[in-house]
Amino acid sequence: MMDDTITVIVNTYNDRAHVGRAIQSVLTQTLKPHEIVVIDDGSSDGTGEFLQREFGKRILYHYHPNRGLPASRNVGFELSSGRWLAFIDSDDYWAEEKLELTLAETLGRPEVGMVACAGFECTPEDKVLCTVGFPQPYSMDVVRSELRRRNPFIPSGAMIRRDVLQQVGGWPEDMRYAEDIVTFARIAACYEIAAVHRPLFYKTVLPTSMQFDAEKVLHYGPRSFQMCKEALGRTSWPGRWLDEIAYRQGVTQVFLHAAWVYSGRHETRRAASCILRGLLKWPFLTARQYRSIYWLCANLLQHDRQESVPAGVK
């Protein structure tokens, strides 16, 4: 059926080491996609030659000069023809039932504009770090509440109806980080997001992942939550007041995340500044968040002590 056609859009940039596994996980799906569109965002590591040699006409390969991940996803969208668009980053891969089980959630449900599945975060050696699941109980009210303060979805676990993605304007190309939560919030404002609670994707956490770029996190993170608040915002009280609280909570998490990144880079002053800015934005944290701050501060103090020990004494 035409309504069941799926285009898989694979985004890659200088990731020859992993992209083959991502595409292979698409080719071995129990439900075969209509087409596989691979967007190469300006790779210089021989990715194009590798893909054409390994996969040939089984994929539609497109190369363009580097424009960033959101723009690449939009190019994939423009080149696609399926009614449903499934996205996968080149360093991730899928379980073989991913497309079959996500498409099953759309049958007879015209109100569904997107389907998301649970998954795992893994090291490059495939060691599972954590499970990426959904808030419980799962409902659109809960999803919208979550999207005001954090992102419960991963693009490699998402499948979006093409007319819905077109309606919300695709992926915001002026965002170089956290663009996905903005798109998901805009979809959630108008459509149902169905969920498959079985883990069906594996997200590889690499040292080069954007979540470890503290400068991008700080620049785009608060802006993304502002855009989510605008997409999902309520105009009456107390909804408007609650939206502002959720926004402040989300921004505080951005500062705390950046503080951990700076701590790992031994940039004590920047880490401490992020902690302070986060607490000033929203000081009423959970016990778990305060424990995280405690351990972060302990790490910073330990590093300072090590730095203050004279050479030859250690």
Side-chain angles (χ1 to χ4, degrees):
M1 293 175 59
M2 182 59 66
D3 284 355
D4 294 340
T5 56
I6 301 173
T7 294
V8 176
I9 298 172
V10 184
N11 295 101
T12 188
Y13 171 67
N14 283 343
D15 195 26
R16 178 176 172 175
H18 300 99
V19 65
R21 180 176 65 176
I23 295 173
Q24 195 62 41
S25 76
V26 177
L27 291 170
T28 56
Q29 290 291 298
T30 55
L31 176 64
K32 304 302 179 185
H34 171 63
E35 61 188 354
I36 303 172
V37 179
V38 181
I39 307 299
D40 186 341
D41 192 30
S43 295
S44 57
D45 64 347
T47 291
E49 294 83 354
F50 167 75
L51 291 177
Q52 291 172 355
R53 183 176 66 251
E54 292 294 318
F55 300 104
K57 295 183 178 180
R58 291 184 289 174
I59 63 173
L60 172 62
Y61 173 78
H62 174 84
Y63 174 93
H64 61 224
N66 184 262
R67 295 172 55 188
L69 184 54
S72 290
R73 289 192 181 126
N74 285 337
V75 170
F77 167 47
E78 292 166 3
L79 294 175
S80 67
S81 61
R83 182 174 186 250
W84 290 94
L85 309 175
F87 295 86
I88 179 170
D89 294 337
S90 60
D91 50 359
D92 303 338
Y93 59 100
W94 288 341
E96 62 181 10
E97 307 93 343
K98 195 269 184 186
L99 292 181
E100 180 180 0
L101 295 181
T102 51
L103 185 65
E105 290 294 323
T106 72
L107 301 180
R109 301 178 64 184
E111 73 280 5
V112 171
M114 169 177 151
V115 186
C117 63
F120 298 110
E121 285 194 353
C122 305
T123 67
E125 298 75 32
D126 295 331
K127 178 183 178 182
V128 173
L129 298 172
C130 65
T131 301
V132 181
F134 305 123
Q136 298 295 334
Y138 186 88
S139 70
M140 283 310 299
D141 286 340
V142 173
V143 167
R144 294 181 184 111
S145 177
E146 287 289 294
L147 283 167
R148 293 182 176 99
R149 58 173 61 85
R150 75 174 189 92
N151 190 357
F153 305 120
I154 299 291
S156 290
M159 187 173 74
I160 306 172
R161 215 169 72 203
R162 69 175 299 109
D163 63 312
V164 171
L165 188 59
Q166 184 172 22
Q167 179 183 330
V168 302
W171 308 88
E173 296 186 14
D174 58 341
M175 301 285 286
R176 288 299 184 107
Y177 173 80
E179 80 291 336
D180 49 353
I181 188 176
V182 177
T183 298
F184 297 150
R186 290 171 176 173
I187 293 172
C190 305
Y191 294 91
E192 296 284 315
I193 297 179
V196 179
H197 296 277
R198 178 175 169 180
L200 296 173
F201 70 83
Y202 296 81
K203 177 176 177 55
T204 307
V205 179
L206 299 169
T208 56
S209 298
M210 283 187 288
Q211 61 182 304
F212 298 118
D213 188 333
E215 289 72 28
K216 280 187 178 179
V217 169
L218 290 173
H219 182 77
Y220 293 106
R223 184 179 172 191
S224 71
F225 284 113
Q226 178 63 37
M227 296 169 76
C228 288
K229 186 171 72 166
E230 293 169 359
L232 296 167
R234 293 167 285 189
T235 57
S236 60
W237 194 91
R240 185 170 55 187
W241 175 69
L242 293 172
D243 288 349
E244 177 62 22
I245 290 176
Y247 164 73
R248 288 175 174 269
Q249 291 172 334
V251 173
T252 293
Q253 279 298 108
V254 168
F255 284 126
L256 296 183
H257 176 84
W260 275 107
V261 175
Y262 281 130
S263 174
R265 285 159 42 174
H266 304 304
E267 297 183 41
T268 304
R269 290 182 179 271
R270 289 185 174 182
S273 173
C274 286
I275 294 172
L276 180 59
R277 292 171 70 186
L279 290 174
L280 288 174
K281 197 70 176 179
W282 185 253
F284 308 107
L285 307 180
T286 64
R288 181 178 180 181
Q289 288 173 316
Y290 276 120
R291 283 195 298 271
S292 176
I293 291 176
Y294 169 81
W295 287 112
L296 177 56
C297 291
N299 287 341
L300 294 176
L301 289 172
Q302 182 180 14
H303 176 67
D304 276 352
R305 292 192 189 100
Q306 291 174 346
E307 289 290 310
S308 63
V309 175
V313 176
K314 296 182 181 179

